[in-house]
Amino acid sequence: STSTSSSTSSSTSTSTSTSTSSSSSSSTSTSTSTSTSVTLPATLDLLIFLDIRFSTFYFYLARAGLDQVLSDESNLYTVFAPFNDAFLGVTMPSNLGDLRTLMRYHIAEGEYLEQDLAMLNSTKLMTLRGFGVGVEEKDGAVFIDDVAIAVADLMAQNGVAHAVGSLLVPPVSTTTTTTTTTTLPPTVLDAITEDFEFDSFVFLMAAADLVDYLTMDQVTLLVPDNNAFAQIPEEVIFDLLLNDDELRRIMLYHVIPNESLTEAAIAASTQLTTAIGATIQVQTLGGVVFLEAATIVQADIVAQNGYAQVIDNVLLPPDVSTSTTTTTTT
């Protein structure tokens, strides 16, 4: 009888201990969850900027303008971030285009944790450069182009970064300059689709069924970059997609048909005649070329059939500016 009582008491003690342990575990779990949500950086550019181990990577990332990409909270990205030591003894490209090519090879669209990458074993993960990095799992470690991930799953609210010990080099980086100077893209469409910064322009040209204008024999495009379109309220873009005629007029206002114009040729002009017949006034001040409310911010993207000039604002034909403003305010 005494033994039974002792056993019962022991069982009660064990139950209490288990309950306490469970409560403690629950408390720990809650504390960890709260801490993670509070300290998680808002964006990947901030995560990399705040980590001194990646200060050199961030410098070149910002110089190439890709910090703006990683500050986009509406998309998810995966970044392979080399430590500072990875840049020792490396001669980085002085040409901005080549630098962008190199840095974009370190960024993939979508969020891939280390366990997700391990599942992609022996495949390629497409980067913003347009080339895939090789992914391979060996002995429990994940390698990107034969470079091991040193620190995995550095989380931000818009994606994840993985630290690597070496710079990742695109497979054609050593011949990029030669290829560019000897073989031009066949059309301006091919030239601008090489850069994700012009995705909005290409999408809207396609939505307006105007892609043929990008492949005509001679053409000059005035291409607002994605940031320019981001300044337009989403509801206005949505309305334009529902109004074929107005969308076509706005997009054709960015097309100069039958002419292949460099920035210098545009600067020497006083006006440009667009594909809708309306003209754009040209003015040059202090070496900067103004096209009405826009300026040329990247000049002379060349193809066999013409040029693209990148501008920082979307141009509106005179006859649609009022309706667009009205749409915006209402």
Side-chain angles (χ1 to χ4, degrees):
S1 175
T2 304
S3 174
T4 302
S5 174
S6 175
S7 173
T8 303
S9 175
S10 173
S11 173
T12 303
S13 174
T14 302
S15 174
T16 304
S17 174
T18 302
S19 173
T20 304
S21 173
S22 174
S23 174
S24 174
S25 173
S26 174
S27 174
T28 302
S29 174
T30 304
S31 173
T32 302
S33 174
T34 304
S35 175
T36 303
S37 62
V38 170
T39 59
L40 199 64
T43 57
L44 283 164
D45 72 310
L46 185 60
L47 172 98
I48 295 166
F49 173 74
L50 293 175
D51 195 324
I52 195 170
R53 296 175 297 177
F54 308 123
S55 57
T56 305
F57 178 64
Y58 184 83
F59 170 79
Y60 287 112
L61 196 72
R63 186 176 176 187
L66 295 175
D67 57 325
Q68 297 178 19
V69 174
L70 299 182
S71 67
D72 180 4
E73 298 182 43
S74 63
N75 287 314
L76 293 175
Y77 297 99
T78 298
V79 179
F80 302 107
F83 290 123
N84 294 335
D85 288 350
F87 294 87
L88 295 176
V90 176
T91 301
M92 295 296 287
S94 57
N95 177 277
L96 186 58
D98 291 341
L99 179 63
R100 284 173 61 86
T101 294
L102 178 61
M103 301 310 288
R104 285 163 62 186
Y105 193 62
H106 292 76
I107 305 171
E109 196 162 7
E111 184 181 80
Y112 294 87
L113 302 182
E114 185 179 39
Q115 64 182 13
D116 301 321
L117 293 170
M119 295 176 66
L120 297 176
N121 186 31
S122 300
T123 62
K124 296 272 188 180
L125 177 63
M126 189 61 65
T127 68
L128 295 186
R129 174 62 188 96
F131 296 115
V133 290
V135 181
E136 189 173 3
E137 184 184 23
K138 301 176 187 176
D139 301 323
V142 176
F143 291 77
I144 306 299
D145 276 357
D146 295 323
V147 178
I149 292 179
V151 181
D153 299 346
L154 302 172
M155 302 300 300
Q157 292 180 32
N158 69 337
V160 60
H162 304 289
V164 292
S166 297
L167 209 58
L168 305 179
V169 181
V172 296
S173 63
T174 56
T175 59
T176 298
T177 303
T178 303
T179 302
T180 302
T181 55
T182 57
T183 305
L184 296 177
T187 68
V188 180
L189 173 62
D190 295 306
I192 63 176
T193 52
E194 290 179 357
D195 196 323
F196 69 95
E197 286 292 342
F198 312 127
D199 287 350
S200 298
F201 179 80
V202 173
F203 167 75
L204 291 172
M205 288 294 285
D209 197 22
L210 298 174
V211 173
D212 285 348
Y213 280 87
L214 308 184
T215 59
M216 63 192 305
D217 287 342
Q218 292 293 312
V219 66
T220 302
L221 299 180
L222 308 176
V223 183
D225 59 19
N226 290 346
N227 287 334
F229 282 103
Q231 297 173 37
I232 301 176
E234 288 184 6
E235 60 269 21
V236 175
I237 297 291
F238 182 74
D239 287 344
L240 287 174
L241 291 172
L242 297 177
N243 188 332
D244 290 343
D245 290 340
E246 189 166 285
L247 177 60
R248 285 176 63 87
R249 289 187 65 78
I250 290 175
M251 299 313 295
L252 286 175
Y253 196 57
H254 295 79
V255 178
I256 315 299
N258 306 315
E259 293 192 80
S260 182
L261 301 173
T262 63
E263 182 187 35
I266 293 173
S269 308
T270 57
Q271 62 182 26
L272 303 174
T273 302
T274 69
I276 61 173
T279 57
I280 295 172
Q281 301 304 308
V282 180
Q283 190 175 15
T284 303
L285 297 172
V288 178
V289 180
F290 288 81
L291 305 173
E292 296 180 348
T295 60
I296 294 178
V297 293
Q298 183 179 344
D300 298 347
I301 298 177
V302 62
Q304 293 178 31
N305 72 328
Y307 287 90
Q309 310 294 345
V310 183
I311 57 177
D312 59 357
N313 274 303
V314 177
L315 302 173
L316 297 175
D319 59 336
V320 299
S321 60
T322 301
S323 63
T324 303
T325 303
T326 302
T327 304
T328 304
T329 56
T330 57

